[in-house]
Amino acid sequence: MLSLVDDENATPQGAESTGTILLRLQGVDTAIDQARHRKAHLEEQQSLQLATEHLASWTREHHDLDRTIDDATKVLNDCETRTDEIDATRQRLEQQLRTVIAPREAEALQHEIANLVTERGELDETALEAMERQSQAEDAMNELEARETSIRDAVAQAQRQLESVQAELDDAIAALEVDRRGFTLHLPEPLLAQYERIRSKNGVAAARLHGARCEGCHLDLSAAEVDEVRAADEHAIPECPQCGRLLVR
Ligand SMILES: [Zn+2]
């Protein structure tokens, strides 16, 4: 359980002064602000983002390797088809060559056969390169797939950790809001409205007067100002002449 607020910030006890309740309300509001700020800047959120990016880059790599393997396979298939054609044509031409008598015709057939042999040699080379690419990509794919479980687990774990700390903060905020409602019930409506108005501008709306110093703006009031604040009606909460916060004596 997160401890965001001191125990003294519990529901008001008996005859507490308006000023004390106001300061307690401020304490609870500050704790709520801090919890919300923490929730918006969780390092668990960063961890989840990193894990998610890691998975995304894994997926891209997987996709790229898949494509490399597919491309190489297609090249190999094309080579095979063309090689079969060449072999069949060559066989036919060689048979033809055996029955040809005219030297010019024989020469033309030999030339055609030589071209087929050259093309076949080039195809073999292309097929060899494709086989090499395919084999390297398959090795890389095996390594990549061996990492898949741990990468997906890391995302799931980061997600769980984030949700857990978010839920903890939500519980803490909910508890603080219950306290807050308790305090607001003990404050006069106009003072509460004044408090909310100052808070929306300043973040902190109520501060204690410590000696001559306002603990809201940390500035010293003049002797005359201190006298004026101290002389105010017992139930009135004056504003700091420097920062405008409600000054609790
Ligand atoms: Zn002040």
Side-chain angles (χ1 to χ4, degrees), residues 103-123:
R104 190 173 289 178
E105 208 181 325
E107 209 178 301
L109 280 172
Q110 275 163 346
H111 183 68
E112 213 177 322
I113 290 168
N115 281 347
L116 288 175
V117 170
T118 305
E119 194 190 342
R120 201 188 192 287
E122 285 166 1
L123 279 173

Side-chain angles (χ1 to χ4, degrees), residues 207 213-221 240 242-243 245:
R213 174 160 297 189
C214 161
E215 287 187 342
C217 60
H218 303 288
L219 293 174
D220 284 343
L221 276 64
C240 166
Q242 319 274 3
C243 66
R245 293 188 173 93

Side-chain angles (χ1 to χ4, degrees), residues 9 15 38-39 56 72 74 84 98 121 133 146 156 165 181-182 194 214 219 224 226 245 249:
N9 279 320
R38 219 192 124 196
K39 201 182 159 197
K74 188 180 179 305
D84 288 349
R98 281 197 281 274
R133 278 201 306 281
V165 70
R181 271 191 296 281
Q194 194 184 2
C214 161
L219 293 174
V226 173
R245 293 188 173 93
R249 294 158 282 172

Side-chain angles (χ1 to χ4, degrees), residues 147-168:
R147 300 207 309 266
E148 180 172 10
T149 308
S150 76
I151 287 171
R152 290 193 189 281
D153 284 355
V155 173
Q157 198 191 344
Q159 182 78 46
R160 277 196 304 274
Q161 280 170 348
L162 176 64
E163 282 168 3
S164 152
V165 70
Q166 278 173 338
E168 242 178 284

Side-chain angles (χ1 to χ4, degrees), residues 157-205:
Q157 198 191 344
Q159 182 78 46
R160 277 196 304 274
Q161 280 170 348
L162 176 64
E163 282 168 3
S164 152
V165 70
Q166 278 173 338
E168 242 178 284
L169 283 167
D170 284 342
D171 287 351
I173 290 169
L176 286 166
E177 277 168 348
V178 170
D179 288 347
R180 181 181 210 284
R181 271 191 296 281
F183 292 129
T184 57
L185 291 175
H186 288 78
L187 292 172
E189 198 68 47
L191 178 63
L192 194 58
Q194 194 184 2
Y195 170 89
E196 300 289 12
R197 204 168 50 245
I198 299 170
R199 204 175 123 66
S200 70
K201 271 192 305 198
N202 280 336
V204 173

Side-chain angles (χ1 to χ4, degrees), residues 59-70:
T59 307
R60 272 196 302 278
E61 214 177 319
H62 193 274
H63 177 261
D64 289 350
L65 285 173
D66 240 352
R67 212 165 48 185
T68 304
I69 292 169
D70 281 354

